[in-house]
Amino acid sequence: MKNQNYQWVVLTALFFIYLASNGFGFNTLPLWYPSLTTEFNLAKGQISEAPSLMLILVAFLSPLFGYMLDKWNPKIMMLIGGIGLSGLLLSFSKITSFTELKIFYLLYAVFLCFGGIITSMFLINKWFDKNRGLAVGIFLNASSLGAVLFNKWAGGLIAEKGWREAEMTMAFVMRSEER
């Protein structure tokens, strides 16, 4: 029998991981695009190539990672994803070229598959028999809530400190929240 209280602890952890990975990493990073476009001397709209690569890779990798969840321990996969995403977010401010930005997004896709929505939904389905719909609804709110919380903060930091220092500040705070 599953511990009915522990399932909510699992959901809370998944919520905060998704808040960081999508709310900050996925939904807030576009605030950096104007600064990156200027710094890397990109044509208007060219910056969107990098996140587009991430989305394409996630689309192709998702079935593979779904298959892996049937074979591997999802906790280990989540751990790999969390460590990888944390490292990437900490390294984002060190990017010096558009090529490095594309590599960042390709790696982000891989770690997002390890520790993002695929693994989280797998764990929610394992832990919840009753209240599964409620658990999914609570979990999915994390991405939107993260965007609301982090976008205003990020925008202010970018205006005040510049994109590199703003990103480092947020990445360190996000990393400490994941612990």
Side-chain angles (χ1 to χ4, degrees), residues 47-94:
I47 193 83
S48 65
E49 290 175 21
S52 294
L53 288 172
M54 176 190 67
L55 294 171
I56 290 168
L57 190 56
V58 166
F60 283 106
L61 290 178
S62 292
L64 173 64
F65 277 80
Y67 174 78
M68 288 168 53
L69 280 165
D70 290 328
K71 307 290 180 194
W72 293 10
N73 183 331
K75 293 176 200 170
I76 292 172
M77 289 179 66
M78 186 66 76
L79 183 63
I80 292 168
I83 291 169
L85 290 170
S86 294
L88 283 172
L89 290 174
L90 287 169
S91 71
F92 186 79
S93 68
K94 306 294 185 217

Side-chain angles (χ1 to χ4, degrees), residues 86-143:
S86 294
L88 283 172
L89 290 174
L90 287 169
S91 71
F92 186 79
S93 68
K94 306 294 185 217
I95 292 173
T96 60
S97 70
F98 189 46
T99 299
E100 289 177 10
L101 182 66
K102 289 178 183 180
I103 292 168
F104 168 88
Y105 271 108
L106 290 172
L107 291 172
Y108 203 88
V110 172
F111 290 120
L112 198 57
C113 286
F114 266 109
I117 194 169
I118 300 164
T119 309
S120 295
M121 292 303 295
F122 184 86
L123 287 169
I124 288 170
N125 281 317
K126 288 281 190 187
W127 276 97
F128 285 85
D129 294 321
K130 290 174 85 176
N131 298 315
R132 185 178 293 155
L134 175 62
V136 169
I138 291 169
F139 168 74
L140 291 175
N141 277 317
S143 179

